[in-house]
Structures are given as structure tokens and as C-alpha cells.
Amino acid sequence: MTSIDDPRMVHRDGFTVVGLSTRATDQTDLGAHWSEFDSRHSSYTDRIDSDEAFGVLFDFDDGTGSFTYLVGVEPSNGTEIPPTLDRVEVPGGNYAVFTVGLDEVETLMDYVYDEWFPSVEFERTDDPEFEYYGPDFDPRDGDATLDVYVPVAD
């Protein structure tokens, strides 16, 4: 049994994330994808909050364990999205929000699906799950935390 804290339950309105996407089978190889996004997103200045970023997981394939992962930001309303960026719509809904350190994300997902969901009355929806990196997040800080939003229906 892991020592991950219980989630807080929240409702979040839908939003759009634009950025760079890749196909992956686990989260351990996504550091290079974040580096590419970091090197390119400074030229994209029209966004709601440049100090916030998202890692959105969607288009899951249970057979292969693969998913699409989009690293990005929430654009300002009416912003023209450059054709070099991908976009994903994250629908509004209920989420279980887990706060963890960057090095705990993969452990968290094992915990959520192997231990947490079987022990609660919530079910996961087919909506995207996402990581929220707030304005205080610094990947060089070993104590930095992020929020992981897992979509749930009760």
C-alpha cells in the first residue's frame, strides 16, 4: 500500500489546451517532450496564464496501454492557434485531484487504478485526465508538487 494522500473532489469547467502532443505507453519517457515544448512555447505568447501548464492524457488504448499526451497551455479567448500546435478540449466534470511530487506521478497512476478505484464508489469516465503545473511549480525543486485530475462519475 502506498502513502499517497486521499484526493480532494472538485468540479471543473471545460477548457482548451494547446501545445505539442505525442503518443506514449508510459509516463517515464515524457521528459524530452516537455523539453521540446519548453523550447518552443516562448514564441506563443497569447495564453491565459503563462505560469501554468498542463499535461493532458487522452485517447487511451486499453489493448496496447498507449495514450496521447499533450503538453500545453490554456489559450486566451479568441486567440488564433498556430497550425504547428495541437489542441484538446477537456470537458467540464467531476475530478478526483491528487497532489504529488513529479517523481511520484507514475506511482500515483498505479495506485489510482490498482488500489483507489477498486476501494471507492466512483468510476472513471472516458474524459481526459490531466496534470496541472501551477505558477509555483519548478521541476528543479525536489519538493515541487503538481495536481493530477482524474475524471470520475459517482
Side-chain angles (χ1 to χ4, degrees):
M1 184 94 148
T2 184
S3 64
I4 294 171
D5 291 336
D6 288 335
R8 66 186 187 281
M9 305 307 287
V10 302
H11 179 84
R12 177 153 179 155
D13 291 336
F15 63 103
T16 301
V17 177
V18 297
L20 302 175
S21 63
T22 189
R23 199 77 185 150
T25 54
D26 64 44
Q27 295 184 317
T28 57
D29 297 328
L30 296 175
H33 190 60
W34 273 97
S35 295
E36 181 180 353
F37 174 74
D38 286 342
S39 70
R40 293 177 54 187
H41 95 287
S42 62
S43 63
Y44 177 59
T45 58
D46 295 328
R47 55 183 145 265
I48 288 177
D49 192 332
S50 62
D51 291 337
E52 298 178 333
F54 297 87
V56 184
L57 295 85
F58 60 102
D59 192 21
F60 295 93
D61 182 331
D62 291 334
T64 64
S66 65
F67 55 90
T68 300
Y69 186 78
L70 186 138
V71 174
V73 295
E74 186 177 4
S76 297
N77 292 335
T79 298
E80 184 176 327
I81 307 302
T84 57
L85 295 180
D86 301 315
R87 79 185 293 145
V88 64
E89 300 295 331
V90 179
N94 296 319
Y95 292 89
V97 182
F98 296 86
T99 302
V100 295
L102 185 59
D103 62 343
E104 298 173 306
V105 173
E106 193 163 354
T107 301
L108 169 67
M109 299 323 294
D110 290 340
Y111 167 74
V112 166
Y113 292 103
D114 296 343
E115 297 179 39
W116 189 74
F117 270 123
S119 70
V120 296
E121 53 194 63
F122 295 103
E123 292 184 20
R124 189 195 187 290
T125 70
D126 290 334
D127 294 333
E129 60 190 46
F130 63 93
E131 305 155 350
Y132 169 73
Y133 299 85
D136 296 329
F137 182 82
D138 181 350
R140 297 166 297 197
D141 178 356
D143 294 327
T145 61
L146 63 128
D147 291 330
V148 177
Y149 286 68
V150 179
V152 295
D154 49 19

